[in-house]
Amino acid sequence: MSATSADTTQQEPFSRRTLFWGILASLLAAAGFFLLSTYAPDFRQPNVGGATPLSKSGIGYAGLAEWLELTGEPPDMARSDSDLQTDTNLLIVTVSPDSDPDALANIIKLRKGLDTLFVLPKWATLPLAGHEGWEMKIGRLPDVVVNDWLGRIAKAKLGEGETTIKQLDVYGLAVNAPDQVQWVPDKHPLIAAGDGKAVLTQVEDEPFYILTDPDLINNAGLKDPDTAAAAHKLIAYLQPGDDPVMFDLTLHGVGRKYDLAKLLIEPPFLALTLTILAAAALAFLHGLGRFGPPRADQRAIAFGKRALVDTTAMLLRRAGRLEELGDRYGALARVRAGALLGAPQGLQGEALDRWLDSRDKDETGGFTKRLQAANAAKTLTQMHEAAEKLHDWTARRLGERR
């Protein structure tokens, strides 16, 4: 092997193809990491406690989800707005006291004309220490809290007073009434808790159903076999088709958190992001090859009079001597004007100034005034103006002479 080949191999330990595939793999890995980091919060399960479809506490609905899976198809989980717009599923929305009101409004807007079951909250609870996901019941939620959520769904309020009914008729199946039944006034109840008292009611002009007492389908209620059978009948009545039921998770925080990264890769800003990436890729490819002839190296100090003048000016500026050039330029302008206008030999200084002033028929002491302005100039602007006036004065006198 020659010395030249050995040097080339030593300078390029990797081939260009290897570098290209390495860079491409790194970009793909970075893009994958970015996407996973952006959407990871959407796939995390919400808090294991509370009134969520994934909660195994007494007020949760994980038991209902598992019961529906055992008796039919496993239920789906709505994690985004597109899931909420599915028109073949009955959507079950489980409301809790700490739910997001804006998320509920979004659900109501997206589910216009679609079968939806809203389950109201009933019990005030606290997490049970030492048992993750367990809840300790404190008592009934105040009616004002429940009515606040109910009023966002329909124009209704909870009924006042206890019901004396001991059993509920759930589509032909008699089950024990829950403790402290929560009901709303309704002349045509779907499930009644007495005359004009509804536990399950329908919103006027919308396929929205409201289950006022969650104990008919939550984990605490499903421990009773009859209540579990009644819950299945209730869901089957509201979802007569074979499509699986869908539980909402957006009301509990899933898919509702937006950040800058997610906005960049979702419509309508996705088109802008792709355009920027395409422009960056084209700029990178354009920079890989040379375009146009190579630019020749310039001399540090160029040839010619102009280059000499520019270099001298640069040196004077760096040396800080510009302030001292006004009077020197004035002296040179005096000698040049005298030579051009034919001043007698031997005239110097003020005598030459008086002779030059005598050449000006329009202004008394015209040259002397301009010379004094040049001598007094201390800045570049002042020196430029004074030099221009001296040059113009000399040019006018030459024109008059000719």
Side-chain angles (χ1 to χ4, degrees), residues 1-14:
M1 182 182 291
S2 63
T4 303
S5 300
D7 292 342
T8 303
T9 303
Q10 186 176 5
Q11 293 175 1
E12 298 182 0
F14 300 104

Side-chain angles (χ1 to χ4, degrees), residues 135-372:
E135 300 283 336
M136 179 175 59
K137 183 170 70 175
I138 300 175
R140 279 281 300 273
L141 285 170
D143 288 353
V144 64
V145 175
V146 182
N147 282 331
D148 180 61
W149 291 106
L150 178 59
R152 298 174 187 272
I153 305 169
K155 295 179 180 179
K157 290 185 177 181
L158 292 181
E160 298 180 358
E162 295 286 342
T163 179
T164 58
I165 194 169
K166 300 299 182 182
Q167 285 190 326
L168 301 178
D169 183 6
V170 182
Y171 304 109
L173 182 63
V175 297
N176 293 328
D179 183 29
Q180 302 181 42
V181 177
Q182 190 168 262
W183 55 277
V184 293
D186 190 352
K187 295 180 180 180
H188 305 285
L190 299 179
I191 297 179
D195 294 336
K197 300 177 181 179
V199 174
L200 179 64
T201 184
Q202 183 176 357
V203 178
E204 186 177 0
D205 299 329
E206 283 288 349
F208 290 172
Y209 306 94
I210 301 175
L211 182 63
T212 61
D213 199 311
D215 289 343
L216 288 175
I217 62 173
N218 62 18
N219 296 335
L222 294 186
K223 67 181 179 180
D224 179 27
D226 292 337
T227 304
H232 188 271
K233 274 185 168 292
L234 187 155
I235 300 300
Y237 174 80
L238 299 179
Q239 176 77 344
D242 297 330
D243 295 311
V245 173
M246 179 179 290
F247 284 94
D248 168 68
L249 294 179
T250 63
L251 191 60
H252 306 288
V254 175
R256 296 288 299 173
K257 297 180 180 178
Y258 287 93
D259 53 20
L260 179 59
K262 187 176 291 186
L263 291 176
L264 289 176
I265 56 179
E266 289 186 353
F269 295 103
L270 176 60
L272 175 62
T273 303
L274 294 178
T275 303
I276 294 175
L277 292 177
L282 291 176
F284 174 75
L285 293 176
H286 190 61
L288 292 179
R290 179 187 296 275
F291 54 96
R295 180 179 294 179
D297 294 336
Q298 301 292 331
R299 286 176 52 87
I301 300 178
F303 293 112
K305 296 180 180 179
R306 183 178 182 84
L308 180 61
V309 172
D310 291 340
T311 303
T312 303
M314 178 187 66
L315 293 175
L316 290 172
R317 185 181 295 107
R318 291 187 176 182
R321 305 297 295 274
L322 289 177
E323 293 80 1
E324 303 176 5
L325 295 180
D327 54 348
R328 297 185 183 184
Y329 179 80
L332 291 175
R334 173 198 290 155
V335 174
R336 179 174 177 273
L340 292 175
L341 297 177
Q345 293 185 356
L347 286 180
Q348 296 180 355
E350 294 181 358
L352 181 56
D353 293 343
R354 288 192 295 271
W355 186 87
L356 291 172
D357 289 337
S358 66
R359 303 298 96 190
D360 192 347
K361 306 299 183 182
D362 301 328
E363 183 181 359
T364 302
F367 180 82
T368 301
K369 293 178 181 179
R370 290 165 175 77
L371 179 63
Q372 291 174 351

Side-chain angles (χ1 to χ4, degrees), residues 100-134:
D100 182 5
D102 293 335
L104 180 61
N106 182 64
I107 294 172
I108 294 174
K109 181 181 69 173
L110 295 177
R111 295 296 297 182
K112 287 289 186 180
L114 303 177
D115 294 331
T116 308
L117 173 63
F118 295 91
V119 185
L120 296 180
K122 179 179 179 180
W123 302 108
T125 61
L126 286 176
L128 184 61
H131 296 276
E132 185 178 5
W134 289 26

